């Protein structure tokens, strides 16, 4: 009853934003449309395909082939309903997130119920909060209005979380391979997923093979549809080598505009390793909580990927309420909230000042971007520390001593 | 999740988890990061054969190396005997001997004296290597010199020539190294020369054609009127002439050059000036008196003074060009045979075949020397500058070579440290705790 209302409300918000001039100007910025997720480039690719030219020949199109073909189909035949398509995908993602939250909260409350406590009197508000956060979050709403395909890429990621929580492993691994096919970075989620698969008693090797096989199948299908493998350079090659340095909310562009050419490959390798390196250590450290690790890796992935857009932040912000029990142990809640609020306001302001008014420069915008990324890092580390503290409290009580000596809690 | 023993297990578990996590970080950094760093910041240096270049310095090259001398005589054994006699005296040359071919015999039969024989043997074209022609008895004049230098690439000898005398003369001229006097006088080797001539003409064309295998000479000429030499000639009463002494000659060249206005070009310029004195200063001669009133400035060019015959104002081109060609020969470093050798007049081209050959050989030796020196200095420089990129195909002047030239090593550290040091400190410090865990030591709880 609440949920359909929320969905309808979300749809209206997006429709309004799509037809409002002020937000139309806002949407032009690369905060919402990176070179990887811009709808303009998709239409360009569709036009090129109509002219029998390979869309990957130039440097414009970086969309994977199968989705490009899907969009092409849409544009050719149902051009009018493209905005509706984006809104529908967003609503579907919100619904999947609600189902995920339902199941997760149920699992969270199970130990308490089993140990004899009375079942909660009213159903937890968390699932509805999750849905509402996703639908009414300015990040996702404006991204949908800007027709950013990054919003569409959140659907497989939401499915991954849903299937991981409901332990539907086939669905989980297949949506993970779809997600990896679309952007490269979700492959970091494979580590906690394999840990979860192992904890559930299934074969990890089989799971890894399934994921790899699905991904390979998608690549082969793309090559078959296009006729050659040239798309690899424009999609994965582009994501890994980041030769387009137009500004976005990520960390890459500012750094590499100032890099000496001789060191470019070293630092690109460093940045990309940095994006992938946290998967295994975090999985090892938090062996018992794969979903937490998946969430942490999601946030880190959004922070360190080469072309992030704020739509991706919308997903993890929506999932954040799932860890409400950790809130009492979190130290930086207020700071992070303030960070996010100010970044939401300042980012479009600095962008407009820099690009449209010409009275600011790249440093202003990059400062806001740095604050945004710092907020994400604070969020992750705070959450992980909160989890550790909660574990410690549950085992040792609130005493600050271990075996009679004062102790300090460390992450690693 | 309660209880003391469970707590101890859990603590152990977390310690294992923590150590494994830190270990995976360390492994990734060391196993992936360091090789990537080394690979991506390596400077491409194409392999330079330093050993070969050093070995080249030992090379001793002589002008006569590899020169081919063919002895021609009436009969084969005589030619071979002469060749065998010369071989130990000219060890760097290749000597062989043969008898005249039928065609050559036929052409020789018509000749009456050595120079005619020279013409006859070269009537169908100059040979491309040096030849020693042993003249038949009938062609040898009674008081002939044993060695005669022809106009083409032949040296004519009598049948009774001594091998040592012949070898000595050949060393001085045809296959000889250049003497110091010639070395300071001759202009440096270049693929092309500019000649600035005061009064040129069609007479220079054969000379320039002749020199074409050696260098492309372009001739420019200009006339300067009312020009002054800048020095006041003395007046000799007894001889009734004006004269310029030797000391004055050295003061003539610089003001002259200032007025000549040579054009800028990449080629070495040789200036040849013909000075016609004003009527008030005629006749003007140079003291000490030489064959012509002309002098050379080494590596620069030559000046000659032309006194027109009384009453006329024209310049005899033939006389002027003769002197000019002589000066050109001296400036190019053409080997001069000793005064006692018999040398045939050079003819309209101004240069004999064997002289041209010697010049070309000299040029080759100079090129090798210069290449050797350049390679040595290049190798030394590349060894010293360790961070210059050595590309396979580009030369030292290519702009891409400068990309890393001014990149001192300490700047590299300034680039690495801000990014990598803060990241690597926790990794390095956690290595200690990993080591402790691996050894099985009990965990040290830090005091607050």
């Amino acid at each position: 009853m609440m949920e359909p209302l929320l969905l309808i409300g979300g749809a209206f918000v997006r429709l309004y934003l799509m037809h409002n001039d002020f937000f139309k100007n806002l949407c032009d910025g690369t905060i919402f449309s990176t070179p990887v997720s811009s709808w303009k480039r998709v239409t360009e690719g569709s036009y090129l395909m109509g002219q029998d030219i390979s869309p990957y020949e130039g440097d414009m199109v970086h969309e994977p082939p199968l989705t490009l073909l899907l969009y092409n189909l849409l544009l050719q035949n149902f051009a009018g309903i493209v905005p509706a398509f984006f809104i529908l995908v967003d609503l579907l993602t919100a619904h999947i997130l609600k189902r995920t939250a339902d199941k997760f909260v149920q699992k969270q409350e199970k130990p308490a119920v089993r140990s004899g406590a009375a079942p909660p009197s009213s159903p937890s508000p968390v699932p509805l909060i999750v849905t509402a956060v996703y639908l009414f979050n300015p990040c996702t709403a404006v991204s949908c209005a800007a027709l950013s395909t990054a919003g569409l890429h959140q659907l497989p990621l939401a499915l991954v979380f849903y299937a991981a929580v409901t332990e539907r492993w086939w669905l989980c691994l297949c949506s993970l391979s779809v997600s990896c096919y679309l952007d490269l970075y979700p492959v970091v989620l494979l580590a906690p997923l394999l840990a979860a698969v192992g904890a559930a008693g299934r074969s990890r090797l089989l799971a890894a093979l399934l994921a790899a096989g699905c991904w390979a199948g998608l690549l082969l299908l793309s090559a078959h549809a296009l006729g050659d493998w040239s798309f690899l350079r424009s999609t994965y090659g582009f994501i890994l080598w980041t030769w387009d340095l137009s500004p976005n909310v990520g960390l890459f562009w500012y750094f590499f505009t100032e890099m000496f050419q001789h060191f470019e490959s070293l630092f690109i390798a460093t940045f990309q390793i940095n994006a992938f390196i946290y998967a295994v250590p975090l999985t090892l450290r938090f062996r018992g909580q794969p979903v937490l690790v998946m969430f942490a890796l999601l946030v880190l992935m959004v922070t360190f990927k080469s072309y992030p857009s704020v739509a991706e932040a919308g997903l993890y912000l929506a999932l954040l309420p799932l860890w409400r029990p950790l809130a009492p142990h979190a130290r930086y809640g207020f700071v992070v909230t303030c960070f996010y609020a100010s970044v939401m306001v300042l980012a479009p302001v600095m962008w407009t000042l820099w690009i449209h008014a010409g009275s600011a420069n790249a440093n202003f915008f990059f400062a806001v971007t740095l604050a945004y990324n710092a907020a994400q890092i604070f969020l992750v580390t705070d959450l992980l520390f909160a989890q550790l503290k909660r574990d410690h409290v549950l085992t040792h009580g609130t005493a600050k001593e271990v075996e009679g000596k004062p102790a300090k809690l460390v992450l690693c | 999740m309660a209880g003391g023993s469970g707590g101890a297990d859990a603590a152990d578990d977390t310690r294992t988890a923590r150590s494994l996590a830190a270990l995976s970080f360390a492994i990734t950094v060391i196993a992936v990061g360091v090789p990537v760093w080394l690979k991506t910041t390596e400077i491409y240096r194409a392999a330079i054969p330093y050993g070969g270049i050093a070995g080249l310095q030992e090379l001793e090259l002589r002008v006569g190396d590899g020169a081919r001398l063919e002895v021609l005589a009436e009969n084969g054994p005589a030619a071979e005997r002469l060749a065998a006699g010369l071989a130990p005296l000219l060890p760097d040359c290749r000597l062989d001997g043969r008898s005249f071919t039928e065609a050559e015999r036929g052409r020789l039969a018509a000749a009456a004296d050595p120079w005619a024989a020279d013409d006859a043997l070269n009537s169908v074209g100059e040979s491309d290597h040096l030849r020693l022609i042993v003249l038949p008895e009938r062609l040898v004049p009674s008081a002939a010199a044993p060695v005669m230098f022809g106009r083409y690439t032949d040296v004519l000898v009598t049948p009774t020539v001594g091998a040592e005398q012949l070898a000595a003369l050949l060393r001085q001229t045809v296959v000889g190294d250049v003497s110091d006097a010639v070395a300071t006088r001759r202009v440096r080797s270049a693929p092309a020369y500019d000649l600035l001539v005061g009064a040129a003409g069609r007479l220079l064309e054969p000379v320039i054609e002749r020199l074409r295998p050696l260098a492309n000479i372009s001739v420019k000429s200009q006339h300067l009127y009312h020009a002054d030499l800048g020095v006041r000639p003395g007046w000799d009463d007894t001889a009734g002439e004006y004269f310029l002494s030797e000391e004055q000659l050295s003061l003539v060249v610089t003001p002259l050059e200032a007025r000549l206005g040579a054009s800028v070009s990449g080629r070495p310029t040789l200036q040849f000036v013909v000075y016609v004195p004003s009527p008030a200063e005629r006749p003007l001669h140079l003291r000490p008196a030489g064959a012509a009133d002309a002098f050379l400035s080494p590596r620069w060019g030559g000046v000659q003074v032309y006194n027109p015959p009384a009453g006329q104002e024209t310049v005899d081109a033939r006389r002027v060009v003769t002197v000019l060609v002589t000066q050109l020969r001296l400036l190019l470093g053409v080997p001069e045979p000793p005064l006692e050798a018999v040398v045939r007049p050079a003819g309209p081209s101004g240069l004999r075949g064997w002289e041209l050959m010697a010049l070309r050989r000299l040029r080759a030796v100079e090129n090798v020397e210069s290449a050797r020196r350049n390679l040595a200095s290049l190798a030394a420089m590349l060894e010293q500058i360790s961070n210059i990129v050595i590309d396979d195909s580009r030369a030292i002047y290519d702009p891409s070579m400068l990309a890393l030239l001014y990149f001192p090593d300490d700047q590299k550290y300034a680039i690495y440290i801000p990014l990598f040091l803060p990241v690597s400190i926790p990794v390095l410090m956690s290595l200690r705790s990993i080591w402790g865990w691996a050894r099985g030591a009990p965990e040290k709880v830090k005091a607050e």
Side-chain angles (χ1 to χ4, degrees), chain A residues 385-404:
Chain A
F385 255 118
Q387 176 67 42
L388 284 178
K389 259 191 254 180
R390 184 161 182 269
D391 284 344
H392 176 86
V393 161
L394 285 175
T395 48
H396 296 113
T398 48
K400 277 224 186 120
E401 291 180 355
V402 171
E403 290 158 19

Coordinates of all heavy atoms in Angstrom, one line a residue, chain A residues 385-404:
Chain A
F385 N 34.0 0.2 10.9 CA 34.4 0.3 12.3 C 33.2 0.1 13.2 O 33.3 -0.6 14.3 CB 34.9 1.8 12.6 CG 36.4 1.8 12.8 CD1 37.2 2.5 11.9 CD2 37.0 1.1 13.8 CE1 38.6 2.5 12.1 CE2 38.4 1.1 14.0 CZ 39.2 1.8 13.1
A386 N 32.0 0.6 12.8 CA 30.8 0.4 13.6 C 30.5 -1.1 13.7 O 30.1 -1.6 14.8 CB 29.7 1.1 13.0
Q387 N 30.7 -1.8 12.6 CA 30.5 -3.2 12.6 C 31.4 -3.9 13.6 O 31.0 -4.8 14.4 CB 30.7 -3.8 11.2 CG 30.5 -5.3 11.1 CD 29.2 -5.8 11.4 OE1 28.2 -5.2 11.0 NE2 29.0 -6.9 12.2
L388 N 32.7 -3.5 13.6 CA 33.7 -4.1 14.5 C 33.3 -3.8 16.0 O 33.4 -4.7 16.8 CB 35.1 -3.5 14.2 CG 35.7 -4.1 13.0 CD1 37.1 -3.4 12.8 CD2 35.9 -5.6 13.1
K389 N 32.9 -2.6 16.2 CA 32.6 -2.2 17.5 C 31.4 -3.0 18.0 O 31.3 -3.4 19.2 CB 32.2 -0.7 17.6 CG 33.3 0.2 18.1 CD 32.9 1.6 18.4 CE 33.4 2.5 17.3 NZ 33.0 3.8 17.5
R390 N 30.4 -3.2 17.1 CA 29.2 -3.9 17.5 C 29.6 -5.4 17.8 O 29.1 -5.9 18.8 CB 28.2 -3.9 16.4 CG 26.9 -4.5 16.7 CD 25.8 -4.1 15.7 NE 24.6 -4.7 16.1 CZ 24.1 -5.8 15.6 NH1 24.8 -6.5 14.7 NH2 23.0 -6.3 16.0
D391 N 30.5 -5.9 17.0 CA 30.9 -7.3 17.3 C 31.6 -7.4 18.7 O 31.4 -8.3 19.5 CB 31.9 -7.8 16.2 CG 31.2 -8.1 15.0 OD1 30.0 -8.3 15.0 OD2 31.9 -8.2 13.9
H392 N 32.5 -6.4 18.9 CA 33.2 -6.4 20.2 C 32.3 -6.2 21.3 O 32.4 -6.9 22.3 CB 34.2 -5.2 20.1 CG 34.9 -5.0 21.4 ND1 36.1 -5.7 21.7 CD2 34.7 -4.2 22.5 CE1 36.5 -5.3 22.9 NE2 35.7 -4.4 23.4
V393 N 31.3 -5.3 21.2 CA 30.3 -5.1 22.2 C 29.5 -6.4 22.5 O 29.3 -6.8 23.6 CB 29.4 -4.0 21.9 CG1 28.1 -4.0 22.7 CG2 30.1 -2.6 22.0
L394 N 29.1 -7.1 21.4 CA 28.4 -8.3 21.6 C 29.2 -9.4 22.3 O 28.6 -10.3 22.9 CB 27.8 -8.8 20.2 CG 26.7 -8.0 19.6 CD1 26.3 -8.4 18.3 CD2 25.5 -8.0 20.6
T395 N 30.5 -9.4 22.1 CA 31.3 -10.5 22.7 C 31.8 -10.0 24.1 O 31.8 -10.8 25.0 CB 32.5 -10.8 21.8 OG1 33.2 -9.6 21.4 CG2 32.1 -11.6 20.6
H396 N 32.3 -8.8 24.2 CA 32.9 -8.4 25.4 C 32.1 -7.4 26.2 O 32.6 -6.9 27.2 CB 34.3 -7.8 25.1 CG 35.2 -8.7 24.5 ND1 35.7 -8.6 23.2 CD2 35.8 -9.9 25.0 CE1 36.5 -9.6 22.9 NE2 36.6 -10.4 24.0
G397 N 30.9 -7.0 25.8 CA 30.2 -6.0 26.5 C 30.8 -4.6 26.2 O 31.7 -4.5 25.4
T398 N 30.3 -3.6 26.9 CA 30.8 -2.3 26.5 C 32.1 -1.9 27.2 O 32.5 -0.8 27.2 CB 29.7 -1.2 26.9 OG1 29.3 -1.5 28.2 CG2 28.5 -1.3 26.0
A399 N 32.7 -2.9 27.9 CA 33.9 -2.6 28.6 C 35.0 -2.2 27.6 O 35.1 -2.8 26.5 CB 34.4 -3.7 29.5
K400 N 35.9 -1.3 28.0 CA 36.9 -0.9 27.0 C 38.2 -1.7 27.3 O 39.3 -1.2 26.9 CB 37.2 0.6 27.1 CG 36.2 1.4 26.3 CD 36.9 2.5 25.6 CE 36.0 3.4 24.9 NZ 36.1 4.8 25.4
E401 N 38.1 -2.8 28.0 CA 39.3 -3.5 28.3 C 39.2 -4.9 27.8 O 38.2 -5.6 27.8 CB 39.5 -3.5 29.8 CG 39.8 -2.2 30.4 CD 40.0 -2.3 31.9 OE1 39.8 -3.4 32.5 OE2 40.3 -1.3 32.5
V402 N 40.3 -5.5 27.4 CA 40.4 -6.9 27.0 C 41.4 -7.6 27.9 O 42.6 -7.2 28.0 CB 40.9 -7.0 25.5 CG1 41.2 -8.4 25.2 CG2 39.9 -6.4 24.6
E403 N 41.0 -8.6 28.6 CA 41.8 -9.3 29.5 C 42.5 -8.4 30.5 O 43.7 -8.5 30.8 CB 42.9 -10.2 28.8 CG 42.3 -11.3 28.0 CD 43.2 -11.8 26.9 OE1 44.4 -11.5 26.9 OE2 42.6 -12.4 25.9
G404 N 41.7 -7.5 31.0 CA 42.2 -6.6 32.1 C 43.1 -5.5 31.6 O 43.4 -4.6 32.4

